[in-house]
Amino acid sequence: MGAEQTGEQLYTLYCSACHAPDGKGANNGAFPPLAGSPWIEGNPKRSIAIVLNGLHGPIDVKGKTYNLEMPPQGAALSNEQILAILNYVHTAWGNKGEKVPVDLVRVARAEFQSRTTPWTAPELLKLFPIPIQKTALSDLTSRVYKGQWNQIPNFDKIQAENIEEEHDGLINPSVAKLDANFGIVWEGNFEAPESAEFEFVLDSDDGSRLTLNQNVVCELNGTGPMDGSRAKTGKITLNKGKIPFRMDFFQNAGPKSLSFKWRKSGTKEWNWLSEKPVASNDSKPSILLIPTDGKTVIYRNFIQGTSSRGIGFGFPGGLNLVYSADNLATELIWSGDFMDASRHWIDRGQGNQPPSGENVIKLTNTRFLPAEARFKGYSLDKEGNPTFKVSIGSQVLTDSWKPGKEGALLRTLTLTGGSELKIPLGNAAVAGAESVTLAPGKSVTLTYPLN
Ligand code: HEC
């Protein structure tokens, strides 16, 4: 072995492909951040466990839910290497993780030796709890009631089965150990950070009602799923300080769930007062990527079971596309969610099937550039927008995509070298023409609307 590598060097080798050199999560934050992550604070055995055995399933990191898979790194790394990496990660980027004691990795490796599957976030929280974050709810208690209802009953006329204090300041229906036919009332104080108008969003399976200062702010009565279709938004002006808070909830059948968030009117960030709902309940791994910070996000090789090397881009305006490196063309454009890999793409079998979502437009599924055309890769501008490059003999064709006005995409084709070239565009209804003819040294910009 040569000279020993520092924790930072080892981090670069073994972690930064997914967590990014700056710790903010690779692919514009499609992977979870280590910078500022509460998962590396407190008992250092937690992060050792993650590195040794990996991690899968839903996990909340800094207000965002991920549902991905981190492969175990224990076999690839020695105890000394893990120690060096974690002592770097725990203090890099302003992190407040504890120093890892010299022998702890060896001890932890022996302790978790018989473990054959990656950890889940709830398992880790049970073994190594994260210090509780403060929410706007204080002095919170829950009262659980038994009974079958189709509407929110008057709980004050019913005797509670159980009363508990909820120190985490979160509204969570699983405080009831029952799955069906029960109700819960939470009471406490909502701390308004200033005198202002506030916005609340409530959704649940089944019914729920938010009351602040004796005013009903949002109510979803009756039974039904928590899929967003019944979610209610309410606004109320509050004076700074502690406001009497009450949430009534009943569960008839189906999954017991409640989501609840608030913000000051006119601000952007939501504050969660429940656990954040996970985007997909599928048993298959879900990979939900969203453009963040006004940047385009990229996902490679996600069209499983197809022959094409698809590269997906989700643009901040809400449009998405897949470029095929085999067919040298943008094949699909769609609007809305960029992608949930489990819902749209996994297990689709053979063939290049488009996602089943709304407004999916097939531009082409054939290769129409001349036979000698070769994919030369792509580059990204600083907003993350792609330019695909194709060589055709001595000519080079570049094909750039970026968001335009009102949700449209702007596509610029540029040709260099050789002589004039006719470039088929596929679906003429979307591109506005079947082809464009480009002279060397010239470019043309097309707008792709979706409706
Ligand atoms: C192949 C990609 C990949 C590599 C390599 C990788 N991780 Fe991860 N890591 C992930 C993913 C994905 C998650 C989230 C898993 C989930 O959704 O359950 C994660 C989660 C974590 C978490 C908990 C969540 C958070 O953001 O704090 C820690 C801590 C962590 N990784 C540390 C490391 C360290 C240290 C290394 C290097 C030794 C490393 N990871 C290497 C992909 C990776």
Side-chain angles (χ1 to χ4, degrees), residues 188-190 192 210-217 236-246:
N189 290 304
F190 175 82
L210 164 66
T211 312
L212 285 170
N213 254 348
Q214 325 295 332
N215 299 298
V216 173
V217 181
I236 185 170
T237 301
L238 301 171
N239 288 327
K240 181 180 158 103
K242 287 189 175 180
I243 312 290
F245 163 91
R246 173 172 170 140

Side-chain angles (χ1 to χ4, degrees), residues 352-368:
N352 185 9
Q353 264 182 292
S356 51
E358 273 175 73
N359 289 334
V360 177
I361 292 176
K362 183 137 213 147
L363 296 180
T364 175
N365 56 3
T366 51
R367 184 182 157 128
F368 36 42

